[in-house]
Amino acid sequence: MRVAWGLLLSLLVCAGPAHAFESTPQPVTYTGTKNLFDDFSFDTGWVPAGAPIQVHFALFAGSGWSATLTGTGHLEWPEPVGIRMLGDPGGGLFHMSMGLQLVARLRVHLELPVGGTIDWEGDVPYVPNFDLRFAGDTTFDPFLLPGAAPGLVEVQDTIPPLLLFQVDLGSLIGVSIPGVTGGFELLAGGTMRAALAGVRFDVGDEAGTVLTTIAQEGAPSLVAPPAAGHLTLQPRYQATLHPTGTLDLVPAVFVEFAGNRWDLPLLTIPVPVVDSDFPWDFGSQTTRFPLPDINVGLGSLGFGTVPSGGTVTRELRVENRGELDLIVDATTDAAVFTVTPASVTVAPGSYETLTVGAVSPPGEVRGTLSLASNDPDEALVTVSLAASGPNNVEQTPGDGGVPPAATPRADVSSSGCCGVAGAAPGPAPGLAAALLALGLVGGRRRRR
């Protein structure tokens, strides 16, 4: 019973203030794109090169978004073991490119025969130049999971009304008015925004089987502690993209008279472009967490019989078969047993030796050596201890034992033949009776 209570006390002491251990943080980078259709771009540059008259045509069509998120994975224990995914401050970039841009430019460079040059650059006549491409980017703190503040990031771009085409008033009514020009024109602009929000991390093993899910910003999610010296996980980042936008068409008329111009927008026609939620899977990142792994190899240590006043020692080798430093605190639950050193740090692939001692006990004593460590799946390893003291049969006064019992004197009468009064104490009564019996038997034999 004493041993059982001692072991329980040892467990409570070892479990005292909880120590927090962590593996080496593992960097992760998630990159993804989400397109409504494939982007398209075409650019001729200025051609023909070196010619006096050059043209430049370009067409850009974008319909998507891209995002990059960087952070670290953290594995913490003691049991239960938890994994957390923490974003780097400012480690997110959200980019938008959606819409259409057309470039049609003309460049002229002529050397005149009489000297001088003509340099001119402008739009190609009758070909509209416009830029209706919504573009922008913003940085943020990943990973935007539920519970984050803010819980989403937005990118937005607004295009003011731009001229798409223009029709002369004379062409419309078939009559020209001297000194007055005007016509009909169509302008287009709009606003496009997109919001990115994290949903969860599905944490899988090396085979891709989902073990747990991280559904809160900064919160740990539990996994089973491994028996090996490392743990490889595959956190898969899931997010949601919500784009919204409208394209504004503005038909208008204009009039120019006496050097003045009047523009009269007729109305604004908003055309919804997109307003929906799209799931966004960024894939998984391999994270290999190094861990300590304790190995003792012995379940018990025996010290045999310890001489009185002496000490017997044994050596115990503590190995680290893991990939992270092993931290061990050693304690015993019985006063006759000692262990040095009380704390050791064992490098990966190495070992340290503990010296366990037993001083002479009053009898047979058993105890427990407790090895509390940062091994995630073996936080406490115990080794049974046993030692015995010598059996002290003869005990005399002054040796710390119990003195012998007093023996009564054998008082002899005046006519006795066995001694005189005042003689030294004789044998014990039982021994005297035995001697007397032997004497009687011997006397009878002589008479025969």
Side-chain angles (χ1 to χ4, degrees), residues 42 312 320 373:
F42 173 78
V312 174
N320 181 8
S373 76

Side-chain angles (χ1 to χ4, degrees), residues 20 23 32 53 67 73 85 91 95 111 118 120-121 154 156 169 213 241 255 269 294 297 307 310 366 388 446:
S23 179
I53 300 177
M85 302 299 293
H95 177 75
E111 299 285 344
I118 298 177
W120 178 85
E121 182 179 327
E154 287 187 323
Q156 176 178 313
L169 181 61
T213 296
L241 175 70
V255 177
I269 306 173
I294 191 172
R366 296 185 180 275
S388 297
R446 281 196 298 271

Side-chain angles (χ1 to χ4, degrees), residues 204-294:
D205 57 15
E206 293 181 85
T209 303
V210 176
L211 303 176
T212 188
T213 296
I214 302 175
Q216 287 289 320
E217 182 74 22
S221 190
L222 307 184
V223 294
H230 70 274
L231 178 62
T232 300
L233 298 173
Q234 302 275 353
R236 176 181 291 271
Y237 181 60
Q238 308 281 349
T240 296
L241 175 70
H242 187 167
T244 58
T246 57
L247 183 65
D248 297 329
L249 300 178
V250 183
V253 295
F254 69 95
V255 177
E256 292 182 352
F257 175 71
N260 297 313
R261 177 184 172 98
W262 293 269
D263 292 282
L264 179 61
L266 300 179
L267 73 163
T268 298
I269 306 173
V271 179
V273 178
V274 63
D275 184 2
S276 184
D277 285 328
F278 299 95
W280 198 346
D281 187 350
F282 282 77
S284 60
Q285 291 282 299
T286 300
T287 53
R288 179 186 172 97
F289 295 99
L291 298 172
D293 187 16
I294 191 172

